[in-house]
Amino acid sequence: MTSASTPKGERRRNALVEAAAELLSEGGFDAVRHRAVAERAGLPLASTTYYFDSLDELVAAATEHHGRAELAAGRARLADLPTADRGIDTVVGLVLDQLLGEDPAYEAVLLRYERLVGTGRRSYLRPLMRTLSGELRELLAEILVKSGIEADERRIERMIAVVDGAVVNALIAVDPDPRGAASRMLRDTLASDSE
């Protein structure tokens, strides 16, 4: 048994992953550095290279941790909501929380999109991102179905495209409320789909 598989080793490795995920969320890929992760986790610098073969491996673990935590939060929130009388504003909020995160601040949304675009330059993240993207689409479909809205692949893709387009345009225009722009566009799209 290696020390990484002992309870203490698992706790240390998890602390490093959680610290890296926080840094990733707060500052993007450039914020995840061995020293910063170790300091955030309260562990010696050498622990980052002891538990992870490379910075890429640590970034991948942090990306997965962050993505899975968001999916779990979305599933929990959906489970807590009553199915009956779920209005379009609730559906829009649930979808946007999954696509944009729960922090509506301009900087948080900008950082999220920088991370998403940045994964394209990190080939080691592509398989993970495809997996997380598939799970996200499944959750979005579940949100729609449990809200009484027909869900199919085309509708999910259209929702994602509408939100991404609205957010990117808002970021280009330095609109202080990119989530608000996405909310308006998504609400209009869902309303016109149901007519």
Side-chain angles (χ1 to χ4, degrees):
M1 175 161 52
T2 66
S3 61
S5 63
T6 65
K8 180 180 178 182
E10 288 176 22
R11 282 193 307 274
R12 284 182 164 212
R13 187 179 194 288
N14 289 339
L16 292 167
V17 170
E18 288 174 13
E22 289 172 7
L23 289 165
L24 179 66
S25 179
E26 294 167 7
F29 291 109
D30 291 340
V32 182
R33 296 288 174 242
H34 289 288
R35 185 173 305 283
V37 171
E39 286 175 3
R40 175 70 63 100
L43 293 170
L45 177 59
S47 63
T48 60
T49 54
Y50 180 79
Y51 292 105
F52 298 93
D53 291 335
S54 66
L55 187 59
D56 290 351
E57 184 182 343
L58 178 56
V59 167
T63 302
E64 181 171 17
H65 177 80
H66 186 266
R68 295 214 179 278
E70 284 189 337
L71 288 167
R75 286 186 196 101
R77 185 162 173 229
L78 180 61
D80 288 344
L81 288 175
T83 302
D85 301 324
R86 188 175 296 161
I88 196 163
D89 289 334
T90 300
V91 176
V92 167
L94 286 167
V95 169
L96 291 181
D97 283 352
Q98 292 311 299
L99 295 177
L100 305 181
E102 293 184 13
D103 186 346
Y106 178 89
E107 189 66 22
V109 175
L110 177 61
L111 277 168
R112 183 182 194 88
Y113 273 75
E114 286 176 348
R115 276 194 322 272
L116 291 172
V117 171
T119 60
R121 295 195 182 274
R122 291 164 176 82
S123 59
Y124 63 93
L125 288 177
R126 290 179 192 153
L128 170 62
M129 294 308 288
R130 279 191 289 274
T131 298
L132 291 174
S133 178
E135 292 177 25
L136 171 63
R137 282 167 170 71
E138 289 172 7
L139 178 56
L140 292 174
E142 187 178 347
I143 288 169
L144 294 181
V145 168
K146 287 190 174 182
S147 301
I149 300 172
E150 188 177 322
D152 59 37
E153 287 183 36
R154 284 189 65 213
R155 176 168 278 156
I156 301 296
E157 290 303 317
R158 187 169 50 248
M159 281 189 341
I160 293 170
V162 164
V163 170
D164 286 346
V167 168
V168 169
N169 283 325
L171 293 174
I172 290 168
V174 195
D175 181 333
D177 186 18
R179 185 183 175 106
S183 178
R184 289 186 297 278
M185 293 299 294
L186 182 57
R187 184 179 295 109
D188 290 348
T189 299
L190 290 174
S192 67
D193 282 354
S194 64
E195 292 176 350

